[in-house]
Amino acid sequence: RAYSLVDSSQVSTFLISILLIVYGSFRSLNMDFENQDKEKDNSSAAGSFNGNSTNNSIQTIDSTQALFLPIGASVSLLVMFFFFDSVQVVFTICTAVLATIAFAFLLLPMCQYLTRPCSPQNKISFGCCGRFTAAELLSFSLSVMLVLIWVLTGHWLLMDALAMGLCVAMIAFVRLPSLKVSCLLLSGLLIYDVFWVFFSAYIFNSNVMVKVATQPADNPLDVLSRKLHLGPNVGRDVPRLSLPGKLVFPSSTGSHFSMLGIGDIVMPGLLLCFVLRYDNYKKQANSDSCSAPGPGNISGRMQKVSYFHCTLIGYFVGLLTATVASRIHRAAQPALLYLVPFTLLPLLTMAYLKGDLRRMWSEPFHSKSSSSRFLEV
């Protein structure tokens, strides 16, 4: 959420959030290509450019999940609001484990580049734990080291690094199969965001969203030292931890922090990932069929504008609008109130004008025409 004026901290928030969305979207697209190549090598079947990849780690959201996700998020928010003191240690440990895996995923391409000249890409067996390449072991080791330093210091920059890993991993591993599911999910989350930011104070006498997002948790080392009675000087000097559910950046004067929840990055990021995959699918389909660029009433210049660029610009404008609104009202703003209209409405308008709305609305990657690329020898 944006709390401050448009200064260096806000510029950092804008740039980092856009870079995370772009990087996560392209990692997702690259995973699709890798899975398609494996299917072709194994000669399993004539595949299609399908968001429901054979990779079991990829989760595709259907209509039912999109409808109930805001309800589940609301229940989780209430649990954290009422029982935070009771579950904070468990929640901190679970968050640290997930952040470790996500940040290792973020570091993996860099580690693959570093280890390629000096080690083969053969996997090393660790018994029941599985088989891993040298790059995977290196990225995981660096991630564990960063999490341990974060636990010991509680530094905001390390927390941001872990939050970035969570954003990229969620954008890469979660898919929206159609524009219909995208609209259901984002519309429901918009209502969720508006209610818990604007109206929760009238019911619970406190802004539930802001309190949960900003409340620090006890350090597990401090709790462990008290449980084991290790003495007053053991583990008591570690700081409380602000959990990596947000990005924070200090202003140039250090007087305040700019904050943006990772949900405000991931959820629009899933939409951008969907349109990037659709842009690539449409480009391949047009190339294979040598079809005309589009309806005759649409200019060639508009046909050249991709859905990804249009939606990404809308995300930036929506984020800027949320910041201006927070400045005017001097209060926390539900960022999705601005991000959802500024991303969905231009996308729907452009899809209608290009004649793609019907195809994008219902499972576009399952169309029969998409399989022609993989039927060629």
Side-chain angles (χ1 to χ4, degrees):
R1 306 293 188 274
Y3 291 100
S4 58
L5 302 179
V6 181
D7 54 13
S8 60
S9 63
Q10 291 293 344
V11 172
S12 300
T13 304
F14 291 171
L15 294 178
I16 294 297
S17 61
I18 290 175
L19 287 175
L20 290 174
I21 288 176
V22 172
Y23 180 66
S25 299
F26 277 93
R27 285 290 296 272
S28 175
L29 189 63
N30 186 61
M31 289 168 62
D32 275 345
F33 289 147
E34 290 176 353
N35 291 327
Q36 291 167 23
D37 291 338
K38 290 179 182 178
E39 289 178 0
K40 292 171 65 178
D41 292 339
N42 294 333
S43 300
S44 58
S48 63
F49 192 85
N50 188 350
N52 298 322
S53 171
T54 55
N55 191 336
N56 292 329
S57 60
I58 294 176
Q59 174 65 44
T60 301
I61 298 177
D62 57 26
S63 299
T64 303
Q65 292 170 330
L67 288 173
F68 282 96
L69 195 146
I71 299 175
S74 298
V75 173
S76 301
L77 197 66
L78 285 176
V79 170
M80 294 297 296
F81 180 73
F82 286 112
F83 306 107
F84 184 79
D85 292 338
S86 301
V87 302
Q88 58 179 322
V89 176
V90 175
F91 190 74
T92 302
I93 294 174
C94 292
T95 302
V97 171
L98 291 175
T100 302
I101 299 172
F103 194 72
F105 175 76
L106 180 65
L107 293 177
L108 184 58
M110 181 191 71
C111 294
Q112 288 174 335
Y113 177 79
L114 293 175
T115 58
R116 186 177 294 115
C118 56
S119 68
Q121 295 301 311
N122 297 330
K123 292 190 175 184
I124 305 170
S125 177
F126 283 83
C128 62
C129 296
R131 296 165 56 87
F132 307 95
T133 63
E136 291 170 342
L137 294 174
L138 177 59
S139 65
F140 184 74
S141 300
L142 292 175
S143 182
V144 170
M145 187 182 305
L146 183 136
V147 171
L148 291 177
I149 297 174
W150 168 66
V151 172
L152 292 173
T153 64
H155 198 278
W156 66 267
L157 193 58
L158 300 178
M159 185 200 71
D160 278 358
L162 298 177
M164 292 176 194
L166 288 170
C167 288
V168 171
M170 284 190 281
I171 293 173
F173 284 100
V174 180
R175 306 291 171 83
L176 296 175
S178 66
L179 190 56
K180 178 180 72 174
V181 175
S182 303
C183 290
L184 287 175
L185 178 65
L186 291 176
S187 299
L189 289 173
L190 184 153
I191 298 172
Y192 156 86
D193 213 15
V194 169
F195 173 80
W196 290 111
V197 173
F198 283 157
F199 301 104
S200 61
Y202 297 104
I203 302 175
F204 303 99
N205 297 321
S206 177
N207 191 316
V208 175
M209 182 75 77
V210 173
K211 183 176 180 180
V212 171
T214 57
Q215 189 169 5
D218 287 340
N219 196 302
L221 296 179
D222 183 22
V223 176
L224 184 63
S225 67
R226 285 190 274 110
K227 292 290 184 182
L228 299 179
H229 305 287
L230 297 180
N233 297 324
V234 180
R236 299 301 176 87
D237 56 345
V238 291
R240 301 191 75 192
L241 297 176
S242 183
L243 301 180
K246 55 192 174 293
L247 292 179
V248 296
F249 290 95
S251 64
S252 55
T253 61
S255 59
H256 60 267
F257 278 80
S258 168
M259 184 175 7
L260 184 69
I262 63 172
D264 301 326
I265 301 174
V266 171
M267 295 307 164
L270 295 179
L271 177 66
L272 279 147
C273 179
F274 165 75
V275 296
L276 177 65
R277 289 163 52 230
Y278 183 81
D279 282 333
N280 187 75
Y281 156 79
K282 186 178 179 182
K283 181 179 178 181
Q284 292 175 353
N286 289 339
S287 176
D288 291 344
S289 62
C290 299
S291 59
N297 61 331
I298 302 299
S299 66
R301 181 173 298 180
M302 175 171 284
Q303 286 294 332
K304 292 179 181 179
V305 178
S306 69
Y307 292 111
F308 181 76
H309 292 143
C310 172
T311 312
L312 187 63
I313 293 172
Y315 176 82
F316 177 80
V317 175
L319 199 58
L320 183 62
T321 306
T323 305
V324 173
S326 70
R327 175 188 176 185
I328 295 174
H329 298 287
R330 298 187 179 277
Q333 295 292 306
L336 292 179
L337 175 63
Y338 308 94
L339 294 175
V340 171
F342 276 102
T343 53
L344 273 183
L345 293 181
L347 172 60
L348 291 170
T349 302
M350 177 172 284
Y352 175 77
L353 293 176
K354 285 187 174 185
D356 292 331
L357 184 58
R358 185 184 297 274
R359 179 185 296 177
M360 293 178 70
W361 186 255
S362 180
E363 306 264 343
F365 307 124
H366 285 287
S367 64
K368 296 180 181 179
S369 62
S370 65
S371 62
S372 61
R373 172 173 176 259
F374 299 97
L375 292 175
E376 297 177 359
V377 178

